[in-house]
Amino acid sequence: MGGAAAGEVGEGGAVSAVPDRATLRLALVVGGLVLAVLLGFGLGRINSGGATLAGGLPDSALADHTHAPGTGAHAHDAGQAEAGGLAVSQAGYTLTPLSGEFTAGQTGELRFQIRDGQRRTVTRFAVVHDKPMHVIVVRRDLTGYQHLHPTMAADGTWSVPLTLPRPGIWRAYADFTALADDGRQTATTLGVDLVAPGGYAPRALPAPATTTTVDGLTVGYQGGPQPGLTVPVSFRVTGADGTGPALERYLGAYGHLVALRAGDLGYLHVHPESELVDGAIQFWLTTPGPGRYRLYLDFATGGKVRTAEFTVIVQ
């Protein structure tokens, strides 16, 4: 019954080199276990690099970046330093414009949808800084900055009045956190070009400066952005008499900072510490690489939202 045992002498006195069935079964079981462990290890490494955790906001452009006061610059993983808004599709979501051409100087309507990987229109979004959708619009020469908040219809179509004051190619960024059916939150920024036909005369970026004036208020910043490092950048607002006006919360924070990279218009959206730091609005800014950047600081005083703009050379 059964086959000859390993090493058993067979007919003619030869020693059989064929293992018995029990040995074969054992070898197959052990080999299968080893293969499963190796496959699991490899898949775990792949998933750990690309999965979005439920409840998390992995896009540093949206997530609050809180550090103890006085903490210095520190390195970030390369993925966290990547600029957003360079594509219409990313992280399984696609920005689908329903309008794209405007008449310069006339108010039109920007309309678009966000669709998932199955081309279904997304209708569930997390509220981040008081709004489920932030739209930034700027001309390709980094002028004409606007920060808008569209409204969504029941079918998932977003719309907002938009005026492009001058002819040219404009870039619109949709900054949002989508909610999947399983509860996962995915924060991303998608971008698309808009057109205002006419003669386009691009304007040169202003020279780098650490101070600027907005409506009689002086806004200055301290801190030096560095490629691949997260560094503190603090903005201070002072009036004509040298005293600081009372800063008010706008969209749940004392300020909002957008950084755009000249050339490809790579997008960074950063939020500040929850409270003022020695009277200043402090951000933790990560620039993905060297280049010229334009910073746009939204802040509120006296019930009015103002925007201070700066040119920064990162090297």
Side-chain angles (χ1 to χ4, degrees):
M1 297 178 61
E8 181 179 322
V9 178
E11 293 181 5
V15 177
S16 173
V18 180
D20 66 0
R21 293 178 181 176
T23 303
L24 283 173
R25 284 197 297 268
L26 178 61
L28 289 174
V29 170
V30 172
L33 289 174
V34 171
L35 181 60
V37 170
L38 290 175
L39 286 175
F41 178 74
L43 290 174
R45 289 178 60 87
I46 294 172
N47 291 335
S48 66
T52 302
L53 298 179
L57 296 176
D59 188 345
S60 61
L62 280 176
D64 287 346
H65 196 144
T66 302
H67 300 271
T71 302
H74 56 278
H76 256 185
D77 293 336
Q80 291 179 297
E82 293 178 355
L86 296 174
V88 295
S89 294
Q90 186 178 3
Y93 294 94
T94 298
L95 169 59
T96 304
L98 303 179
S99 62
E101 185 169 316
F102 295 78
T103 301
Q106 296 184 15
T107 300
E109 186 178 52
L110 176 63
R111 301 173 64 247
F112 63 92
Q113 294 177 340
I114 304 297
R115 297 178 182 172
D116 62 16
Q118 287 72 48
R119 303 296 296 166
R120 299 174 301 184
T121 302
V122 180
T123 58
R124 299 179 63 222
F125 298 83
V127 174
V128 178
H129 287 274
D130 292 349
K131 298 292 181 179
M133 179 70 68
H134 298 261
V135 170
I136 303 298
V137 178
V138 68
R139 201 167 70 155
R140 283 232 161 230
D141 59 359
L142 299 179
T143 64
Y145 168 89
Q146 300 179 54
H147 185 166
L148 309 172
H149 300 106
T151 57
M152 189 186 73
D155 67 350
T157 298
W158 293 92
S159 61
V160 63
L162 173 62
T163 302
L164 303 181
R166 295 180 300 278
I169 305 298
W170 295 70
R171 189 70 172 173
Y173 303 89
D175 188 336
F176 61 91
T177 298
L179 294 177
D181 293 338
D182 60 5
R184 287 179 302 157
Q185 298 186 9
T186 303
T188 190
T189 302
L190 305 177
V192 68
D193 282 345
L194 308 176
V195 179
Y200 172 46
R203 299 182 180 182
L205 279 180
T210 57
T211 60
T212 189
T213 301
V214 182
D215 294 341
L217 300 172
T218 298
V219 184
Y221 78 87
Q222 290 184 324
Q226 302 176 47
L229 290 180
T230 298
V231 299
V233 179
S234 298
F235 293 84
R236 188 175 300 275
V237 182
T238 57
D241 58 358
T243 62
L247 295 175
E248 301 164 356
R249 292 187 182 273
Y250 165 59
L251 299 176
Y254 283 109
H256 297 269
L257 181 65
V258 168
L260 296 178
R261 182 171 55 195
D264 63 358
L265 273 64
Y267 172 96
L268 304 170
H269 188 177
V270 211
H271 293 286
E273 298 285 359
S274 57
E275 301 295 335
L276 297 175
V277 178
D278 191 25
I281 312 170
Q282 180 168 290
F283 297 83
W284 292 88
L285 176 62
T286 309
T287 48
R292 293 184 304 159
Y293 291 80
R294 190 71 169 162
L295 306 185
Y296 307 87
L297 171 69
D298 293 330
F299 66 98
T301 60
K304 180 179 179 180
V305 178
R306 298 170 169 83
T307 302
E309 302 184 16
F310 304 85
T311 299
V312 177
I313 305 296
V314 178
Q315 53 189 1

